[in-house]
Amino acid sequence: MTRYLFRRLISLALSLVVASLVIFAVIEVVPGDPASYMLGLNAKPETVAALKDQLGLNAPAPVRYLNWITGMVQGDFGLSYTYKTPVSQLVIQRLAVSLPLALYALALAVLVAFPAGLMAAARRGKVADAAVMGATQVGIALPNFWFAMLLVLAFALHWQIFPAGGFPGWDQGLWPGLRALTLPAIALALPQAAILARVLRSALIETLGQDYIRTARAKGLTGGQTLLRHGLRNALIPVLTIMGMQFSFLLAGAIIIENVFYLPGLGRLIFQAITQRDLIVVESVVMILVFAVILVTFLVDLAYAAIDPRLRKRA
Amino acid sequence: MSLLRLDDLSLAIHGKPILSGVAFDIAGGEIFGLVGESGSGKSMTALAVMGLLPSGATTSGRAEFMGRDLLTLPERALTGLRGNEIGMIFQEPMTALNPMKTIGDQVAETLLIHRAASRAEARDVAREKLARVGLPEDRFPLSRYPHELSGGQRQRVAIAMAIALRPKLLIADEPTTALDVTTQAQILDLLKGLTGDEGMALMLITHDLAVVAGMAARVAVMQNGRIVEQGATETLFRTRTQDYTRRLFAASAHQPQRRAQTRPETLLSVEGAVREYILPRPSPFAKPPVLRAVDGVSLTIRRGESLGLVGESGCGKSTLTRAILGLDPIQGGTIRLDGQEVTPGHTMPHDLRAKMQVVFQDPYGSFNPRHRVERLVAEPFHLTGQPKDARDRVAAALEEVGLSPADMGKYIHEFSGGQRQRIAIARALIIRPDLIVLDEAVSALDVRVRAQVLDLLARLQESHGLAYLFISHDLSVVRSITDRVLVMKAGRIVEEGATEAVFARPEHPYTQRLIAATPVIPAAWQDSA
C-alpha cells in the first residue's frame, strides 16, 4: 500500500512539472503584450518598455519560469494587471464560490444517480429501466443554461423560493450562500446525474453477469441483496472515474451557468482574464486548476485501492 | 423416501424446449451422477432445482424436495432453501468468488443471510468450515482475498460456503473441470468425505465418465434435454443398454488409428531455454525478484513426429510454447526451427514463421468475429504472399478438415465448438507448415467431438507428414496422439520418453502422481458389454 501511494505521489509531482512547462510555453507564444494592454493605445513606447521592465517581462524565459514557480510554491501568484490585486487573493475569493458549487452539484448528482442507476439495473428491461434510460437521455440532451433559465422562471420568479442570481458572500451566513447556489447546482447536476446514472447502470449490469453473483444467489441472497452486497462495490470503479472527471469539470467549466446566475466563480475570472490579456491571472489560475485535477485523480486512485484489494496487493 | 424427486420436469426458455420429461430420484446421503455433453441440459436441471433459471424460462412437471414442489414455491421460500437446505458449487472457481470480499466474510455470509448465527458465531463457523475443506486458519487466515488463492483453493472456499449450513443436498456442477488432475483428485476426495461425514446427498454434474465411475452410486445419462438411461453406476457402465451411452463410452476411450512416421531429421530443437519474468520490487530500493518460468528446457522434434508436453497449470508449458512460437523472448538458450534460429517479434522472418502454425484451446476466442471464414482461413497467406488460387486452396483446406467449401461465406458464430476447431486446423494447414503447435487444442471439446478431431489430426499428420507439438493437461489425450512425451514441472522437464513406455512405467514420482490422480473407468467394467 505504501508503495502504491509512493508511486502515485511521484507521478503526481511529475505531472505538475510537465503541466507547468506546457502552460508557461503556451503563454509565451500567445500574442498580446500585457504592458501595452495595461497602458492603453496612446502610451509612449518608452513608458511601455519601462513597465515591462518593472513587471519583469524582459528577463529571459527560464528565469521568468523559475520566478513563477518559486513564487507559486511560496503562495505568491503575482499581481493581476487589471485588478491590481494579488492573484492569490482573487483566486481565493472565486474558489469560495466555485468549490462549494462544484461539491454541491456533485452531491446532488450522486443523490439522484445512485438510486436511479441501482433501480434501472435491478429492473433491467422493465418499465422502470426504460423510464430511467429515457429520463437520462433527456438530461444529457437538455442544454443546461436553458434548463437554468427554466429553474429561474419557476423557482425564482414564480414561487420566489430561491434568488434569481448573484451571490451574497459567505459572511452573510451559510443559508443565504447555499440558497444562492441551489439553482445553479441543480442546473449543473442535471447532465452529470444523467451520465452518472447511465454509467452506474451499465457497470452494475456487467457485474450482475459475473459468476460470483450466481454464487451469491446460490447462497440464498435475494436479487436485491446480491445487487447491494456483491454488485455495487464491484461496479464502483468506472463510476468513481467518471465522478473524478465531473468534479474537475465542475470546478472551472461552470462558466455558462455562472454567467446565467451572475456568480463570481473561477470560470468567469479566467474568461475575463483571457479577454483582457491578464496573462498572470490566466497562467496562475490554469496552474491551480491543473493542480486540482491532478489532486482529484490522485484521490480517485486512492479510492480505487480502498475499494479493490487486488489493487492494494499489486503495489 | 427420496430427498429430491424430479418428475416429468420440462423446461422451455422463450419457447425453445430445453428439458423434456426429466425424472430421477436422489436419496438422502447418496452421490448421484448426472453425465452428458455440453448442451444436454445438465446445468439447466440443476438451476431448475435451485430456482435460478434465466428469465423467460417456463417449467412443467414437479421437482419435489423434502415433499415440497420447488417449481411452485415463491421466491421468498426459495431464498430460504438456497444455501440452507440446498447448496451449490460451480465450474469456474477463478471467478466464482467476489474479488472484493475476504474469504472469511464470504463463508460467514451464508450463515448471516439465513440468520443462523450472530456475526461472531458466523466467523467461528467459517473458520471451522474452511479448516474442514483443507484451508486451516494458520495458513489461510479468514482475511485472505480470493486473488491470493489458487484455483483449487478457491474451489475449497466455494465448497465451504455451500456446506456452511450443512445442507441436505449439494449440487456440484462440473466442480473439477477447470482444475488440474491432482487438484481434481483432492477436491473429489473432499466431496466424497463430506457426504459421508455430514450425511449430505451430492448431485455431481460432469461430462467425464471416469469421474462419475469413481464417485457416484447411481448415475443418469442425459442427451438433448432427456434422460437417456439411469441406474446403478456399475451396472449401467457394464451393460450400456442405450446406443448413446455406448457411443459416449467409445468416444471417451477413443484411440485414433495412427502409424508412427517419424523421420530422422531434426525439425525443432530447443536447447537450454530460459524464460524469466521480473516481479515487482518488494520495496522501492530492493532488487526485483525474478521468476524462472522456464528453467533450462531442452527438447527436439523430428520431422513427422508427434511430441506431447504434459504438466499442470503454472508449470511453464504455455510460456515455453510462446517462446517456441517466437512470441516472447528467451533469456537463455536457443530455439531453432529447421536449422534457423527463432527470434521473437517482428524480426522473425516470414518464411520461418510460415513453417510453424498454432491451434489454441478456445474455439470461441481465437477468431475475429467480423471476418468471414474465407478471410479467416486465408490469413496465414500474408506470410507467403497471396497465391492466385487462394480461394481454391481455402476450399480444399475446408474439405480436408471435413467442412464444406460453401462454409467460406459464413461468419464464425454460425459454427459449433468442434467445427470452429476444425476451421482453426484448416487455417493452420493452409500454408503447409512443417510443425503445428496444438495448445490444449481439444480440451474444450465434448468427448465425441474430441474423438473426431483426434481422428482428423491423425489423418492429416499422415497425409502431410506434419510434426505436432501437443500440449495438454489431459494425459489420456496425449497418450492417444503422441509418439513421445515430455513431463514438465516447475519450469523443468522431469521425464521424457516414448509415450507408451512413460505411461506404462512412469519413473519420476511426479509422473507417477499425475497418472495415479487421473480418474479411470475400472477396466473390468469396460469389457463386459
Side-chain angles (χ1 to χ4, degrees):
Chain A
M1 188 66 199
T2 45
R3 209 176 117 70
Y4 181 85
L5 258 175
F6 183 73
R7 285 174 78 159
R8 291 281 127 210
L9 274 171
I10 288 190
S11 105
L12 184 149
L14 281 177
S15 313
L16 279 178
V17 170
V18 172
S20 67
L21 281 169
V22 170
I23 292 167
F24 188 79
V26 169
I27 296 289
E28 280 295 284
V29 298
V30 166
D33 174 1
S36 40
Y37 207 97
M38 285 164 78
L39 293 170
L41 292 173
N42 302 325
K44 289 185 205 146
E46 308 87 88
T47 333
V48 174
L51 183 61
K52 280 181 88 165
D53 213 38
Q54 188 197 330
L55 290 172
L57 295 177
N58 286 330
V63 174
R64 276 181 290 131
Y65 174 75
L66 281 180
N67 285 342
W68 178 51
I69 294 293
T70 45
M72 273 196 299
V73 172
Q74 292 159 4
D76 172 14
F77 291 79
L79 211 61
S80 160
Y81 311 147
T82 45
Y83 294 89
K84 308 277 190 306
T85 44
V87 175
S88 52
Q89 212 173 313
L90 274 176
V91 168
I92 287 171
Q93 281 168 8
R94 300 307 180 99
L95 264 181
V97 177
S98 282
L99 191 64
L101 179 62
L103 287 171
Y104 195 175
L106 194 65
L108 287 178
V110 167
L111 279 179
V112 174
F114 270 66
L118 280 165
M119 186 171 73
R123 307 194 173 278
R124 61 194 171 287
K126 307 239 171 75
V127 180
D129 184 20
V132 169
M133 290 305 278
T136 53
Q137 190 77 66
V138 173
I140 294 170
L142 274 187
N144 63 359
F145 60 86
W146 181 78
F147 180 63
M149 288 189 281
L150 282 191
L151 289 174
V152 170
L153 281 177
F155 295 102
L157 298 181
H158 186 75
W159 283 304
Q160 308 198 342
I161 306 170
F162 296 108
F167 186 73
W170 293 109
D171 45 0
Q172 302 292 312
L174 185 66
W175 175 234
L178 278 182
R179 253 183 62 163
L181 292 183
T182 300
L183 291 185
I186 294 174
L188 284 170
L190 176 79
Q192 312 297 349
I195 293 169
L196 211 54
R198 286 184 158 237
V199 171
L200 179 62
R201 173 187 175 271
S202 63
L204 277 171
I205 286 177
E206 201 196 316
T207 309
L208 289 180
Q210 300 290 324
D211 286 348
Y212 53 78
I213 296 295
R214 189 180 55 183
T215 308
R217 296 282 279 139
K219 272 179 176 177
L221 275 78
T222 62
Q225 286 171 326
T226 314
L227 186 70
L228 291 176
R229 294 184 190 202
H230 293 273
L232 186 55
R233 190 158 165 192
N234 279 287
L236 272 185
I237 297 261
V239 175
L240 274 175
T241 311
I242 299 290
M243 277 173 60
M245 287 159 62
Q246 288 183 334
F247 181 75
S248 308
F249 165 79
L250 287 172
L251 206 52
I255 173 164
I256 297 178
I257 294 297
E258 284 173 10
N259 267 327
V260 172
F261 290 96
Y262 303 105
L263 292 177
L266 265 186
R268 283 175 87 199
L269 173 68
I270 195 166
F271 180 72
Q272 286 157 355
I274 290 170
T275 51
Q276 292 161 350
R277 287 288 175 283
D278 196 344
L279 296 185
I280 294 268
V281 173
V282 174
E283 64 182 357
S284 301
V285 174
V286 171
M287 194 61 215
I288 288 166
L289 287 176
V290 167
F291 179 73
V293 171
I294 290 174
L295 187 71
V296 168
T297 314
F298 174 70
L299 293 176
V300 169
D301 277 341
L302 288 191
Y304 288 165
I307 290 174
D308 192 337
R310 288 167 295 183
L311 291 175
R312 262 174 268 160
K313 193 70 184 181
R314 198 173 304 158
Chain B
M1 150 117 195
S2 54
L3 179 71
L4 177 72
R5 155 170 277 164
L6 298 192
D7 190 12
D8 195 26
L9 171 68
S10 296
L11 162 69
I13 296 179
H14 295 298
K16 188 172 174 260
I18 304 290
L19 300 176
S20 44
V22 172
F24 58 76
D25 281 14
I26 299 180
E30 105 171 308
I31 301 185
F32 181 82
L34 193 57
V35 293
E37 296 178 299
S38 51
S40 62
K42 320 180 289 276
S43 296
M44 282 298 163
T45 307
L47 292 178
V49 170
M50 291 297 282
L52 289 176
L53 287 167
S55 64
T58 46
T59 51
S60 65
R62 289 178 71 80
E64 253 177 47
F65 178 74
M66 299 186 1
R68 291 201 279 172
D69 185 7
L70 296 169
L71 300 182
T72 57
L73 277 185
E75 173 65 17
R76 259 187 94 79
L78 282 171
T79 53
L81 280 180
R82 283 183 216 130
N84 189 6
E85 303 284 349
I86 311 178
M88 183 159 180
I89 57 172
F90 299 91
Q91 172 169 356
E92 266 306 327
M94 297 311 278
T95 51
L97 303 176
N98 185 343
M100 309 280 186
K101 295 194 169 207
T102 64
I103 59 173
D105 284 348
Q106 295 195 54
V107 176
E109 189 182 31
T110 308
L111 296 129
L112 294 173
I113 210 81
H114 291 284
R115 302 184 192 288
S118 71
R119 215 158 263 283
E121 287 161 4
R123 277 194 88 71
D124 289 340
V125 176
R127 188 174 293 120
E128 174 207 328
K129 294 293 172 183
L130 282 169
R132 174 63 188 92
V133 299
L135 302 174
E137 199 191 9
D138 51 339
R139 282 190 302 137
F140 301 94
L142 300 185
S143 57
R144 284 282 177 94
Y145 284 97
H147 69 268
E148 298 170 297
L149 304 176
S150 71
Q153 289 161 352
R154 290 187 209 189
Q155 193 63 296
R156 288 171 193 273
V157 176
I159 293 173
M161 267 160 51
I163 61 158
L165 280 169
R166 312 181 56 138
K168 307 244 177 353
L169 173 66
L170 178 65
I171 302 176
D173 187 358
E174 303 273 10
T176 58
T177 307
L179 303 175
D180 284 321
V181 354
T182 47
T183 317
Q184 161 168 292
Q186 292 162 5
I187 296 288
L188 291 176
D189 248 14
L190 171 65
L191 289 173
K192 211 169 182 172
L194 284 170
T195 54
D197 300 353
E198 318 255 330
M200 170 182 82
L202 175 67
M203 176 167 152
L204 179 65
I205 296 172
T206 177
H207 68 284
D208 192 334
L209 292 170
V211 166
V212 178
M215 293 280 291
R218 287 191 315 120
V219 62
V221 181
M222 272 192 102
Q223 183 197 18
N224 297 334
R226 295 168 190 279
I227 303 275
V228 176
E229 167 168 31
Q230 62 177 309
T233 308
E234 187 175 346
T235 327
L236 187 141
F237 274 47
R238 279 180 185 275
T239 53
R240 280 168 255 159
T241 48
Q242 296 298 315
D243 178 52
Y244 177 72
T245 318
R246 275 199 292 278
R247 277 187 286 145
L248 213 53
F249 261 81
S252 64
H254 184 73
Q255 291 276 347
Q257 291 285 322
R258 56 188 302 274
R259 270 199 313 270
Q261 44 155 7
T262 310
R263 280 173 281 153
E265 314 93 80
T266 299
L267 178 61
L268 176 83
S269 75
V270 177
E271 270 166 51
V274 172
R275 175 80 176 101
E276 290 175 336
Y277 291 100
I278 293 172
L279 300 177
R281 301 159 196 265
S283 72
F285 303 105
K287 222 176 132 208
V290 171
L291 173 77
R292 246 185 203 211
V294 174
D295 189 4
V297 167
S298 299
L299 62 91
T300 54
I301 300 180
R302 300 186 192 287
R303 285 190 174 275
E305 184 180 32
S306 177
L307 179 73
L309 179 61
V310 298
E312 296 187 296
S313 49
C315 74
K317 55 188 195 301
S318 295
T319 309
L320 176 62
T321 311
R322 289 185 61 83
I324 289 175
L325 288 168
L327 299 175
D328 281 344
I330 48 175
Q331 281 74 47
T334 52
I335 298 173
R336 285 173 181 281
L337 179 64
D338 208 10
Q340 227 181 322
E341 184 157 349
V342 172
T343 49
H346 291 295
T347 57
M348 186 161 165
H350 279 183
D351 61 328
L352 181 61
R353 202 182 273 291
K355 286 179 183 166
M356 145 169 91
Q357 291 288 299
V358 62
V359 177
F360 290 107
Q361 169 170 8
D362 183 2
Y364 295 91
S366 47
F367 294 98
N368 185 331
R370 306 254 181 275
H371 291 175
R372 291 176 196 276
V373 166
E374 179 180 357
R375 183 162 171 197
L376 292 172
V377 174
E379 216 158 18
F381 280 139
H382 80 272
L383 296 171
T384 58
Q386 188 87 4
K388 289 215 171 53
D389 58 342
R391 230 183 123 76
D392 295 339
R393 285 172 63 175
V394 170
L398 285 174
E399 279 191 320
E400 256 186 316
V401 298
L403 296 169
S404 135
D407 291 331
M408 265 197 279
K410 294 185 184 166
Y411 287 100
I412 200 69
H413 68 262
E414 299 172 63
F415 297 91
S416 70
Q419 288 171 327
R420 288 177 200 212
Q421 221 50 338
R422 286 170 189 268
I423 293 170
I425 294 169
R427 173 170 64 181
L429 273 181
I430 192 124
I431 50 169
R432 301 269 172 264
D434 298 315
L435 171 68
I436 298 187
V437 176
L438 298 149
D439 189 357
E440 301 276 7
V442 298
S443 301
L445 304 178
D446 278 319
V447 282
R448 288 188 305 155
V449 180
R450 175 197 298 175
Q452 291 161 6
V453 172
L454 287 175
D455 280 342
L456 171 69
L457 289 172
R459 205 179 67 232
L460 292 172
Q461 179 167 43
E462 208 163 310
S463 54
H464 295 299
L466 290 168
Y468 288 152
L469 174 57
F470 201 101
I471 298 132
S472 183
H473 69 283
D474 187 330
L475 301 184
S476 64
V477 168
V478 170
R479 190 171 188 172
S480 71
I481 191 87
T482 62
D483 305 310
R484 215 151 47 83
V485 66
L486 306 173
V487 182
M488 195 165 178
K489 180 181 186 259
R492 293 169 177 276
I493 305 289
V494 296
E495 184 156 1
E496 172 174 7
T499 303
E500 262 324 299
V502 170
F503 278 92
R505 291 173 303 278
E507 278 172 14
H508 194 275
Y510 178 69
T511 319
Q512 291 166 357
R513 237 183 13 251
L514 278 185
I515 292 174
T518 307
V520 286
I521 303 170
W525 296 10
Q526 300 202 9
D527 341 302
S528 34

